[in-house]
Amino acid sequence: MKIAIHHTKGTFSARWIAYCKQEQIPYKIVDCYKNDIMQQLHDCSALMWHYHHASATSTLFAKQLMYAVAATGKKIFPDFNTAWHFDDKVGQKYLLEAIGAPLVPSFVFYTKPAALDWISTTGFPKVFKLRGGSSSDNVYLVKSRQHAIRLVNKAFGKGFKHYHGWSNFKERVRKYKNGISSVYEVFKGFIRIFYTTDFAKMAGREKGYAYFQEFIDNNDCDIRIIVVGDKAFAIKRMVRENDFRASGSGSILYDKNFFEINTVKLAFDITIVLKAQCLAYDFVYKNGKPLIIEISYGFAREAYDPCEGYWDKELNWHAGKFVPQNWMVELMLSR
Ligand SMILES: Nc1ncnc2c1ncn2[C@@H]1O[C@H](COP(=O)(O)OP(=O)(O)O)[C@@H](O)[C@H]1O
Ligand SMILES: [Mg+2]
């Protein structure tokens, strides 16, 4: 039986296909957007699709399709335990609280009075986030009660845009100045000031809830540990200048000595409890203790290629290059 792979440029799929070719693993390219996807899968024992949170159409149906396929006994990547909470920080809050994982203390409110009540009793600063998004796009430091009230009014009023053309443009200029982005990217950002993204158009405004976290200060980076099956690797992402946000900064360090083995073990342990195939954990530290900011099955590809090695589940270090996408294919072959 074959592994079905949905191929999209710029996702994991090119590497999955390359690995199947290299290892002579039978595979077939399928198109999950076509109405006959179930027929396409008739000779396949697994389906792999790296759907992206910023793809407007795939977020309409990717999880539904994948879990329907899994209901027939076929393997899928990402599977339910790995992905139901993808791009959903509110879902992650419930999940991590449920299993007693060390989450940054997080607070969600579904009515304005409930949010305002909490604001009147809590201290600041706090962090305010939308449940979805990446690269720190929808993450704000809330320095005062007044600021929190403004955000809550917006959350239960006109809501938040998913795309901010001007700040996105400024971020591209910052990256260009730091030598981590091209003029072309700046140009694309300029055009995007006037034309929002398809995703933002389709998703409309985000509203109806307010999500805050404790602000964990004194972190000049976050530590991302990614577990795929029984292996793990890590990167250290530095925060932007005069900012507290690391995700998407493009400033990444790889030296193994940056990573505490206890945090790697914690990521392995949580993955086992969650029965997940693949999860990236973003940690900040408070008094030396790791706290999870968010989890995600998806991650960028090239940013991890310079990693100097990985840990196995016994926490032994294996120095050398590796391709984590190959491990995902292996997960489809194991029983
Ligand atoms: N509660 C927090 N305390 C301190 N820093 C935080 C907190 N939440 C987020 N950050 C910082 O902001 C960045 C982006 O936040 P995150 O919730 O991971 O959003 P995104 O999904 O955009 O990556 C993180 O990489 C981290 O550096
Ligand atoms: Mg993040």
Side-chain angles (χ1 to χ4, degrees), residues 214-260:
E214 280 308 336
F215 173 54
I216 311 300
D217 63 1
N218 296 321
N219 282 274
D220 62 357
C221 64
D222 76 358
I223 298 289
R224 167 167 275 200
I225 306 213
I226 302 184
V227 178
V228 184
D230 53 8
K231 302 183 182 69
F233 52 102
I235 61 172
K236 170 171 168 156
R237 306 185 296 187
M238 304 309 294
V239 297
R240 296 160 174 85
E241 212 179 320
N242 300 321
D243 200 323
F244 71 105
R245 297 168 307 169
S247 157
S249 73
S251 169
I252 305 176
L253 302 173
Y254 298 93
D255 192 317
K256 175 181 174 251
N257 296 318
F258 290 131
F259 311 112
E260 285 183 6

Side-chain angles (χ1 to χ4, degrees), residues 89 129 133-136 139 222 224 237 247-248 282 293-294:
K89 293 181 171 81
K129 305 180 180 185
S134 62
S135 302
S136 304
V139 177
D222 76 358
R224 167 167 275 200
R237 306 185 296 187
S247 157
D282 296 346
I293 292 179
E294 67 155 341

Side-chain angles (χ1 to χ4, degrees), residues 173-215:
V173 170
R174 183 192 70 80
K175 284 190 167 165
Y176 174 69
K177 282 187 181 156
N178 290 345
I180 43 182
S181 186
S182 63
V183 180
Y184 179 59
E185 288 299 320
V186 174
F187 173 71
K188 279 202 295 192
F190 180 71
I191 299 295
R192 281 256 171 256
I193 297 175
F194 310 102
Y195 302 95
T196 188
T197 60
D198 286 347
F199 178 78
K201 266 189 263 173
M202 209 151 121
R205 283 181 175 254
E206 185 81 0
K207 58 199 276 188
Y209 68 95
Y211 180 59
F212 292 88
Q213 283 186 331
E214 280 308 336
F215 173 54

Side-chain angles (χ1 to χ4, degrees), residues 1-4 25-27 41-46 74 332-333:
M1 292 291 259
K2 299 171 191 159
I3 298 179
I25 299 164
Y27 75 96
L41 296 175
H42 79 277
D43 56 346
C44 299
S45 56
K74 295 185 200 285
M332 297 296 95
L333 303 175

